[in-house]
């Protein structure tokens, strides 16, 4: 299967998972809490089942790492050169609040880098998707546009997208480098996508995230032309260590 066909299949798979999520979103649902106090709902588990079954049918030889099935040893994972990275619902807190700002995230990782990604926001009916060999796109109400980041000088008012549920105490210090900022609160991996569509200038993530939170949005932002780096300017990479936690990072379209 070529990349164009595979990307379309993954977009459709994310949308099927989104449909399953919305059937649960529309009614009362069960919320449980993991050992790290993060919430998980019936919708997370149902969407995970849809996605993992779909990926196994499409690419039976590729391993899958999902937030909801993350008990895979580092000894096994460190041998993976190519695998799927999945968050069935990114922004579970937004899902529980019913503000619509949650996403389905599916990324293809090769040699530590995201080369394909789909971010689908079912409640907003918008999808972002990208592949290295094809480009980055946004689709809303069946209208598809290509995303190409326009670079911006570090001047004037800087649109800074930040977490709606995870404000960071380190953010204020980071923002002192700008003369004027306008904060744009947003949940889930939609923050990376806002930079990808040049609707925000920079997304500094100075708080904890896991690899499945960022892989798909990272692919969209990077392929659209944004930079995605650690604070020291080095690339943000995946599956390089036993922990799933990302270092702090910045997504930017600033020169």
């Amino acid at each position: 299967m070529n990349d164009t066909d595979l990307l379309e299949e993954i977009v459709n798979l994310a949308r099927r998972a989104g449909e399953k999520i919305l059937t649960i979103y529309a009614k009362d649902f069960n919320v449980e809490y993991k050992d790290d106090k993060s919430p998980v709902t019936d919708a997370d588990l149902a969407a995970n089942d849809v996605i993992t079954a779909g990926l196994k049918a499409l690419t039976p030889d590729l391993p899958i790492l999902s937030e909801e099935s993350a008990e895979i040893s580092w000894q096994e994972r460190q041998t993976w050169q190519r695998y799927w990275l999945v968050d069935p619902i990114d922004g579970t807190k937004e899902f529980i609040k019913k503000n619509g700002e949650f996403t389905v995230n599916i990324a293809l990782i090769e040699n530590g880098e995201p080369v394909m990604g789909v971010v689908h926001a079912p409640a907003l009916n918008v999808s972002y998707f990208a592949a290295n060999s094809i480009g980055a796109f946004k689709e809303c109400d069946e209208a598809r546009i290509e995303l190409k980041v326009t670079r911006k000088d570090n001047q004037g008012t800087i649109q800074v997208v930040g977490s709606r549920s995870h404000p960071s105490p380190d953010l204020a210090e980071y923002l002192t480098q700008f003369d004027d900022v306008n904060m744009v609160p947003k949940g889930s991996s939609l923050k990376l996508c806002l930079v990808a569509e040049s609707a925000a200038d920079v997304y500094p993530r100075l708080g904890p995230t896991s690899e499945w939170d960022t892989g798909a949005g990272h692919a969209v932002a990077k392929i659209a032309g944004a930079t995605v780096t650690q604070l020291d300017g080095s690339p943000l990479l995946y599956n390089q260590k036993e922990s799933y936690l990302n270092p702090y990072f910045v997504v930017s379209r600033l020169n």
Side-chain angles (χ1 to χ4, degrees):
M1 186 182 300
N2 63 41
D3 283 354
T4 300
D5 291 341
L6 181 58
L7 182 59
E8 291 290 346
E9 290 285 354
I10 300 305
V11 171
N12 290 334
L13 179 58
R15 288 173 177 164
R16 291 203 302 275
E19 290 169 1
K20 175 67 75 171
I21 290 167
L22 289 181
T23 64
I24 299 171
Y25 187 65
K27 58 187 180 184
D28 291 335
F29 47 81
N30 184 52
V31 180
E32 297 180 356
Y33 289 86
K34 303 177 189 177
D35 292 342
D36 64 359
K37 309 301 182 186
S38 61
V40 60
T41 70
D42 300 337
D44 293 86
L45 303 176
N48 189 65
D49 289 345
V50 171
I51 294 167
T52 54
L55 292 176
K56 287 176 182 177
L58 285 169
T59 55
D61 295 332
L62 286 186
I64 302 167
L65 175 62
S66 170
E67 180 178 13
E68 306 312 330
S69 54
E71 280 70 42
I72 300 170
S73 72
W74 170 235
Q75 185 176 6
E76 178 182 350
R77 283 192 293 115
Q78 65 184 330
T79 66
W80 294 357
Q81 300 300 309
R82 194 166 184 254
Y83 69 99
W84 292 108
L85 180 61
V86 175
D87 192 347
I89 299 183
D90 180 36
T92 300
K93 291 182 179 179
E94 318 307 331
F95 179 88
I96 293 168
K97 295 174 187 174
K98 294 198 172 186
N99 67 14
E101 293 181 1
F102 57 90
T103 58
V104 177
N105 294 349
I106 307 175
L108 180 61
I109 309 297
E110 286 187 3
N111 300 314
E113 297 187 8
V115 298
M116 180 180 292
V118 175
V119 174
H120 175 57
L124 306 178
N125 191 31
V126 61
S127 304
Y128 299 86
F129 45 94
N132 271 352
S133 59
I134 302 165
F137 303 87
K138 175 184 180 181
E139 189 167 301
C140 184
D141 297 326
E142 299 184 359
R144 180 176 297 191
I145 60 170
E146 187 170 5
L147 301 177
K148 290 187 176 181
V149 164
T150 54
R151 305 300 296 186
K152 177 179 175 179
D153 290 334
N154 189 353
Q155 304 290 329
T157 301
I158 304 300
Q159 304 291 331
V160 180
V161 65
S163 175
R164 193 179 292 281
S165 293
H166 301 279
S168 166
D170 295 324
L171 183 59
E173 181 180 351
Y174 176 86
L175 295 179
T176 59
Q177 66 186 287
F178 305 120
D179 293 333
D180 185 36
V181 299
N182 180 47
M183 290 300 301
V184 182
K186 187 67 68 172
S188 72
S189 56
L190 290 169
K191 295 184 286 294
L192 292 97
C193 296
L194 282 187
V195 181
E197 61 178 317
S198 300
D201 300 323
V202 62
Y203 165 39
R205 183 56 190 230
L206 310 180
T209 57
S210 295
E211 294 184 359
W212 44 72
D213 296 321
T214 59
H218 182 165
V220 172
K222 180 189 71 169
I223 294 167
T227 57
V228 184
T229 63
Q230 299 182 48
L231 295 186
D232 64 2
S234 60
L236 181 65
L237 298 174
Y238 295 79
N239 200 38
Q240 304 296 299
K241 59 189 187 308
E242 184 171 2
S243 171
Y244 296 122
L245 288 177
N246 288 319
Y248 288 179
F249 64 89
V250 177
V251 185
S252 177
R253 71 184 188 107
L254 298 174
N255 290 321

